[in-house]
Amino acid sequence: MEEHVGGWWHDFITRHSEQRHPEAAVALADIQQLLGIWFRALGGDGGLEIATADATLSNARRSLLQRMAGTQRKTELAWRDENALRLPPVIDIFPNPQLNRDLYLWLGALAAMDDESTDEPWFRHNQRISRRALERFPGLRDKYLDLVQAHLEQRKLGHWPADEIAQEQAIRRALIEPGSMDALPPSRRMPVPVPLWLHPNPPQATPMPAAEPPEDPGAGGGKVKELEEVARKQTEKAETQDSDRGLITVRMENIFSWGEHVNVDRGTEDEDNDERADEVARDLDKISVTRNGKAAKTRIRFDLDLPAEAEDDEIISDDLMLPEWDWKKRQLLADHCRVVELVARDAQAIALPKRLDRTAAKLRSQFQALAPARVWHRARPDGEEVDLDAYLRYRTDRASGCQVAADNLYRQMNAGARDLACLLLADLSLSTDTWVNDESRVLDVIQDSLYLFAESLAATGDQFGIYGFSSRKRDPIRIHTIKTFEETYNGRIRGRIRALTPGYYTRLGAGIRYAAERLKDQGAGRRLLLILTDGKPNDLDQYEGRYGIEDTRHAIQSVRNLGFHPFCVTIDQKGNDYLPHLFGSSGYVVIRDPMELPGQLPLLYARLTAQQH
């Protein structure tokens, strides 16, 4: 009975303390694609993705019911960082779902105006970008005023101290007329959060210094688990805590608080209970990180080991160095990435897999129609037949008394040729080891795509090369040679395709720069770089996030400056979020069903080359 009454009381007090309207809720997941288009159309940074914002602690005044229920301690506000525009996962603060949806759109417009002026107080900064958004997009004014009116009805003044009342009145006036208030009156307490503005103090991550290797790298020897993506947390560096000190030195009130110290060592999370480590990381608002040399039974690892040399592909070359773009420094770092070129050891010649015979025959028939028709080359010194036009001109000139030589009187039938070269660059990162269905991995789909692509292009006579790539930081960038431009497509090339295995990470900028070096050697007038991938650029170091996106974008622009035509084919369902920033609106395609990729890739090539021909 006691538990029943307690549960009833908890539900009652929580329901009456929460200022939420779940029946009118709008989820970010339902509007995320629209918001991405909206944000970029209004001038927002194309390199930012749309992501969820983590709830942060608020020191604002709470009502008696909220304090009793323990609610409203955290709030979800929007902010942007170098990687993403972060928005609340659900907005349900208004009873009207249209208002909740309009709030998402307003926050997107506000973030598009944000120039990240870190030296400007948040109160003045939010007013300035609000006024800027309303001036640039007058059509937003009615929606904004409706949001302000609905929100002001929720901001009820109570019997507050004079300083808090003055602060609240300043916020109200700033909402109604952005730019009218220069500064927020001082108060001992933070004001009630403003969901129409960006976060006044968004979480900022602190980079960790390089860690010392643990005393016993092999200790623990337990299972390995990958850490899943979590919301952005605020971090701080801290001194190593001494777990052996006596209880007498610990403040007793800390015994019942959340433990905020997390051991992080060389990209590993040391914790005896891996599920608990994951839960704690998600619940904390700020994570303190230090270094120590201890290992635990379970370790969440982010690194991968390279295979032994005897089991790895054969190294062709390892001395090519490539640059990389540092978007923060606005500088191209020369000789930053080392390329290791590999080829499959002892790849045996094989026939085309039987399951692809029918599709390959159909594609070969279609692609043979793309090959230029055989044409007569006239006025040749020798050839298959006499060129009647040239001979008649010769006899006419002689009859008129002109002394002309009896040469170039034949014609020769030769096959035409398309002045075109294509390099297919395939992403062979670890993610290709995931399963598409119960029978096929992503890598299996990529292999079938390469088979059919090569069969099709061999039918046209076009020059083409096929390479795969993966990376493990900037050294090495592993380039797998599948078919060079000089090689003829045959059973051995098919054997190399079959020998492909999942690699490591996706340093896409380096892969693109390597492909450009190979295309430079081709004399064709039109050169196409076709990129096949299943996800975003990423690697173990800072390449994850905005750094990798901007380096890839710089590499693509460099390829275009050379006169080449880059085009991306991806099976990443989130590709529309970042590929327009990299390749432009017409420089990529997202294949929704990965199983359709093998048949679609050759046809896509046919359309691309038809446009260029």
Side-chain angles (χ1 to χ4, degrees), residues 22 58 149 280 323 393 433:
S58 172
Q149 181 180 355
V280 170
R393 285 196 298 272
D433 200 28

Side-chain angles (χ1 to χ4, degrees), residues 546-565:
R546 187 67 181 275
Y547 186 101
I549 290 290
E550 294 302 329
D551 175 62
T552 302
R553 187 168 187 255
H554 186 275
I556 294 167
Q557 291 173 340
S558 300
V559 168
R560 288 200 173 106
N561 291 339
L562 292 171
F564 306 160
H565 301 273

Side-chain angles (χ1 to χ4, degrees), residues 41 88 186 368 599:
Q368 284 171 355

Side-chain angles (χ1 to χ4, degrees), residues 149-316:
Q149 181 180 355
H151 179 55
L152 291 182
E153 292 175 359
Q154 297 175 336
R155 300 180 69 92
K156 298 178 181 179
L157 282 171
H159 299 289
W160 296 357
D163 58 344
E164 294 183 36
I165 292 178
Q167 196 175 64
E168 177 65 21
Q169 290 175 340
I171 290 177
R172 288 169 173 262
R173 183 175 176 184
L175 282 169
I176 295 172
E177 189 178 351
S180 60
M181 300 297 296
D182 183 62
L184 186 67
S187 176
R188 293 171 296 176
R189 187 184 293 273
M190 286 293 295
V192 175
V194 184
L196 275 67
W197 287 349
L198 301 184
H199 202 303
N201 185 28
Q204 299 293 330
T206 303
M208 274 294 292
E212 298 291 337
E215 295 177 1
D216 184 6
K223 56 185 178 179
V224 176
K225 174 186 175 183
E226 288 189 26
L227 183 65
E228 297 177 357
E229 182 181 358
V230 296
R232 167 64 67 90
K233 302 291 184 182
Q234 189 169 3
T235 62
E236 64 178 4
K237 290 182 287 186
E239 296 298 324
T240 304
Q241 295 185 352
D242 186 359
S243 59
D244 297 329
R245 63 187 179 181
L247 184 61
I248 193 67
T249 62
V250 181
R251 294 181 61 184
M252 299 306 292
E253 63 267 26
N254 290 341
I255 293 178
F256 300 102
S257 67
W258 275 105
E260 295 189 355
H261 179 77
V262 178
N263 292 319
V264 177
D265 187 17
R266 291 183 60 82
T268 68
E269 163 59 37
D270 294 337
E271 172 60 52
D272 289 340
N273 186 329
D274 55 322
E275 293 185 0
R276 178 182 177 277
D278 195 14
E279 292 174 359
V280 170
R282 293 175 184 276
D283 288 339
L284 293 179
D285 296 296
K286 179 183 289 187
I287 299 178
S288 300
V289 290
T290 65
R291 298 184 298 188
N292 66 25
K294 299 179 180 180
K297 294 179 181 178
T298 301
R299 133 176 339 184
I300 300 175
R301 300 193 60 183
F302 303 94
D303 205 346
L304 294 171
D305 294 326
L306 293 173
E309 183 176 354
E311 299 177 1
D312 201 4
D313 289 346
E314 181 179 354
I315 295 177
I316 303 175

Side-chain angles (χ1 to χ4, degrees), residues 437-568:
N437 52 36
D438 294 337
E439 300 179 355
S440 301
R441 299 172 301 166
V442 172
L443 182 64
D444 301 327
V445 174
I446 291 176
Q447 288 173 319
D448 286 354
S449 302
L450 298 183
Y451 286 133
L452 295 179
F453 179 83
E455 292 283 334
S456 301
L457 267 67
T460 67
D462 290 348
Q463 304 175 55
F464 71 99
I466 305 176
Y467 296 83
F469 81 101
S470 69
S471 63
R472 186 176 178 271
K473 299 184 180 179
R474 63 188 181 93
D475 183 2
I477 311 298
R478 295 166 58 86
I479 300 294
H480 297 266
T481 302
I482 302 170
K483 180 190 175 301
T484 67
F485 283 95
E486 293 75 25
E487 291 179 306
T488 301
Y489 175 66
N490 52 33
R492 190 172 183 184
I493 303 301
R494 291 191 288 268
R496 292 177 187 172
I497 294 175
R498 186 180 66 175
L500 294 175
T501 58
Y504 303 96
Y505 300 93
T506 312
R507 212 173 191 95
L508 186 53
I512 291 173
R513 292 186 178 94
Y514 174 84
E517 292 296 320
R518 298 286 76 83
L519 277 173
K520 285 180 183 178
D521 300 333
Q522 307 309 309
R526 292 181 297 277
R527 283 168 278 191
L528 172 66
L529 172 55
L530 199 55
I531 302 163
L532 180 58
T533 182
D534 67 337
K536 293 177 64 175
N538 72 90
D539 211 326
L540 283 170
D541 50 17
Q542 76 271 20
Y543 209 82
E544 180 73 32
R546 187 67 181 275
Y547 186 101
I549 290 290
E550 294 302 329
D551 175 62
T552 302
R553 187 168 187 255
H554 186 275
I556 294 167
Q557 291 173 340
S558 300
V559 168
R560 288 200 173 106
N561 291 339
L562 292 171
F564 306 160
H565 301 273
F567 191 89
C568 180

